[in-house]
Every structure is written in C-alpha cells, then in structure tokens.
Amino acid sequence: MPDEQLSQLLKEVKKYHPHADLDPIRQGYAFAQEAHKGQMRKSGAPYIDHVVATALLLAQWHMPPQLVLAGLLHDVPEDTKYNIADIEKRFGKDLANIVEGETKLSTLRYHGRERYAENLRKMFFAIAQDVRVVLVKFADRVDNLKTLNVFPIKKQQRIALETIEIYAAIANRLGMGLVRGELEDLAFKSIHPQEYKWVLNFLKDKVQEREKYLEQVKKTLQKDLIKNEVHVQSIHGRIKRLYSLYLKLLTRDRDINKIYDLVALRIIVPTVQECYASLGALHQRWTPLKGRVKDYIAQPKPNGYQSLHTTIFCDDGEIVEFQIRTPEMHEEAEFGIAAHWFYDEQGKMSKRADEHVKWLKELASIQKNIQSRENFLEALDSLKIDIFQNRIFVFTPKGDVIDLPEKATPVDYAYAIHTEIGSRCAQAMVNGTIASLSTPLRSGDVVEIITDKNRKGPSPDWLEFVKTSHARNKIKDDMHKTKLSGWIRELVQRKHKSVAR
Ligand code: MN
C-alpha cells in the first residue's frame, strides 16, 4: 500500500516535470512516514495519508517537485518530534523555509472573526516574499475539507466560510481557476448541504441532456474550422462548477434554463491567430448573442485570464457558450502561477523586485475583494498599500502578528505588545534562540520577550537602537518616572538622615 502511494505520487510529478530529480521526494516520503509513524487523523485514517494527499494535489496542480516535497513535510514540525532544523539538515534551507512558513500560518489563532481576518491579512503580506507557502496551504486545506465532518458543525462552518472568503478569493486572484473551484465546491458542500444537493441534481439531469446536443454542435464546428485552416487541438465540454453555478442560479430566479454556460464548449487552438479565426468561423455559421462577445485576449482579466468568449444561438435556437484559447492560455487559466514554474525544475520563485511589487499590489486588491464580499474588513479601509512598504511582520509565540517598521528590534516589539513588557524586558528569544535586544528583526520571525520583574525600568542605551517612536517615547517617559522616583527616594532618605541627626 505505501509503495503504491509513493509511485502514484512520483508518476504525477513526472507528468509535468519529466526531468525532475525524484530522489528528494522519495526521501521526503520515507522521512514523513517515519515522522508520522503511528499517528492517526481525527477521521481514524493514518496521518501519512493526509500529507501524501496534500503532496498529490500539488503535483496535480502542476507544481514543481520542491513544492510537492514541501507538501509531504508540511506537518512535520508541528505534529512530530522533528523540527525545522531536522528538515533543513535533510532537505536544505529553501525547503525548510517553506515548511516553516506553513507552520506559522497554521499556528494563527482564531480570536473572533475580525481579529482572525486581520491576522490573516497581515499574514499574507508577511509571506508575500514566498507565495509557495500559500500554495501548500491551499492543498492542505482542500484535503482537510474532505474530512471536515469530524469537527463540530460550528467549526465546519467557520472553516468553510473562511475557505470561500479568503482562500478561494486568493486562488482566484492568482489565476488558479482549478484550485479556486475545488476550494469553493468543497466548502459549499459543508456550508449549504441542502443547496449543494439541489444544484448537484440539477446539474446531473441537465448535463446529460446537453451533452448529446453539444456532440452535434461539435461535429459541425470541427468541419467549419478545418475549412478555415484552423488546427484544432481539442474541443471539449466544460461543466460549470457547482458553487459558481449556485451563485448564478441565485441571480436568475433559481431557473436553470436561464443559465447559458452550464456546459460551455472549450476550443483549444495553437495560436492567437487561430483563436480569432475560430471566432470568425463560429459567427459565420451561427448568430452570436448581442453583448456577449468578450475579448480577454486583447484585454486580459486583472488576474491574467485570457480567452475569447462568445454566446451563440446554435441549431434549434439552443444557446451555447464558447471559450476559445491557446494551450498556454489554458494552462495559465487552470493553474495560474504554477504555469510560470512549468519549466523550472528547481521550483524557485524569481525574486525580481518588480514581481514582488506586483504581488503586493495583487494582495492589496485581494483585500478589496474580501471587503466588498463581506464587510468584516471595514476597519482596514484606511490602510493604503504604501503603509506596507518598509514594514515587517513578526509573530508572537501564539501566532499573533505584530507589524513593525523595517529593522525594528525586540525592544520595539516588546513595547508594541505592552508598555509593561517593554520596560521590564530583559532578554529576547528570536525563533527559539536568545538574541540581543538590539537585533534587527525580519519578517516572519517568532519573537518572545523574557521580562525581569525586578527591573527598575528601561535602559537609556535602548534609545540608540529603537526604531519606533512609540518605544522611544515610552522609554523617555519611563526614564523620567524612574528619575523622579529616584529623586523622591533620595529626598526621603535625606529627610530621614536629617531627622536622625
Ligand atoms: Mn496539514
């Protein structure tokens, strides 16, 4: 059985990355097996099944081998006796970083809806440096959604809602149509089980009925395209995803006959030129519906989506939607950013500055989307993207996010948490290691402050390295107070002396 799991995984990786070195994945599989040995999931299945399923999803989404490996190891530091250092020793720094980001993301705690959203938002900014962490999280979430029923109803609903509002929204923004669809449909099933069944039944009946008809359309079309010297790679029916069908039904009086794109025909042709030629051939034979022709090739959607869309009165007045695209456009529409890694066996994300900025801009608009879908992020209205430049995000041991200016130190962090913690801070632990109070922090660091109850107050030396005006002001205040109390003590002592005299 385990060998079968591994060979299925390797087969899937090889499909899209034929020249990849598969040894690290073999080693990762063996290590994950050893690490999770004897562990069971809440559902009673062996834990290893979950991490293999996560890795398999990543492979199916065309992700590079390095990410598949991260999928295998993503729960090791959190749930086993091995830690990040063990992973780094065996699989290198780059992989350890992805897994570490993953662990941080899952230690975020839920403190009411707003707090959680806020945490998550900051989190996504923090990991903007490495989008791969989110991709592993998507796969993890898809697999977890499949066994969501082991949790109490309330928790199921919370996870499902968060999946649609945040995860799917981000997947969409990254142009990952397939991932978005999987996240949404699984979550939809948990949130509205009745509605889910209703849509599913609709779909079953209608799709069968439609498929026969579309087979005819396809034949006619194929002949026309050959005549127009278009080299068709494939024409296939695309069935609308359940959740997106459900949303559309709600806006169409729940009448399935008002949904034209229940099954669309997708035409894949080698070149852009042939895309337009196909559109021409279609419009020559049948009449397009007014206002339904969309040229997303000349004007791609904000997430990069490209295709030609048209809706047509075919034979017998039946209405059919067509989507025309090249194989590259198709790859990008389904797999989004993974498409850019398609030929990069290392799976390393380019660190080019302009891409970084682009990603931050994308994140900003994701936030806008979430806001308009559900107003729970209203509080963030005033935040502008430029605030996030030159900011870092560090974590409390509980997983709360504290945002600070670049090069902020543990003292800035301590004062950001509480004045008392600031003025009594004695030592700092950064990522589990003792660090000096003046160490510049970096995004993603986990910081813990060790306080000393007997400490009288801040040290004037701190003023030389703190970066926030908040910490600076508090230190000055405190020093002033300490001085005052010193004077008072002195005065009292003098008085005593004079009395004694
Ligand atoms: Mn997991």
Side-chain angles (χ1 to χ4, degrees), residues 47 50 74-75 140 144:
Y47 205 93
H50 163 63
H74 81 275
D75 277 331
D140 178 47
N144 285 332

Side-chain angles (χ1 to χ4, degrees), residues 176-196:
M176 309 172 78
L178 182 81
V179 176
R180 174 205 179 177
E182 286 189 36
L183 286 165
E184 281 183 345
D185 284 0
L186 285 163
F188 173 39
K189 196 174 171 183
S190 307
I191 301 181
H192 305 295
Q194 295 306 320
E195 305 279 81
Y196 180 86

Side-chain angles (χ1 to χ4, degrees), residues 272 275-276 279 292-301 305-310 324 329:
V272 170
C275 289
Y276 289 108
L279 185 73
R292 299 272 308 189
V293 185
K294 285 169 198 146
D295 185 349
Y296 295 121
I297 292 180
Q299 281 164 327
K301 286 190 185 178
Y305 177 85
Q306 286 192 297
S307 271
L308 299 175
H309 288 193
T310 185
I324 310 164
M329 291 173 194

Side-chain angles (χ1 to χ4, degrees), residues 41 47 50-51 54 71 74-75 78-79 102 106 136-137 139-141 143-144:
R41 303 195 76 196
Y47 205 93
H50 163 63
V51 298
T54 304
H74 81 275
D75 277 331
E78 207 176 337
D79 297 327
E102 192 62 26
S106 58
V136 176
K137 192 72 196 164
D140 178 47
R141 177 55 62 96
D143 190 59
N144 285 332

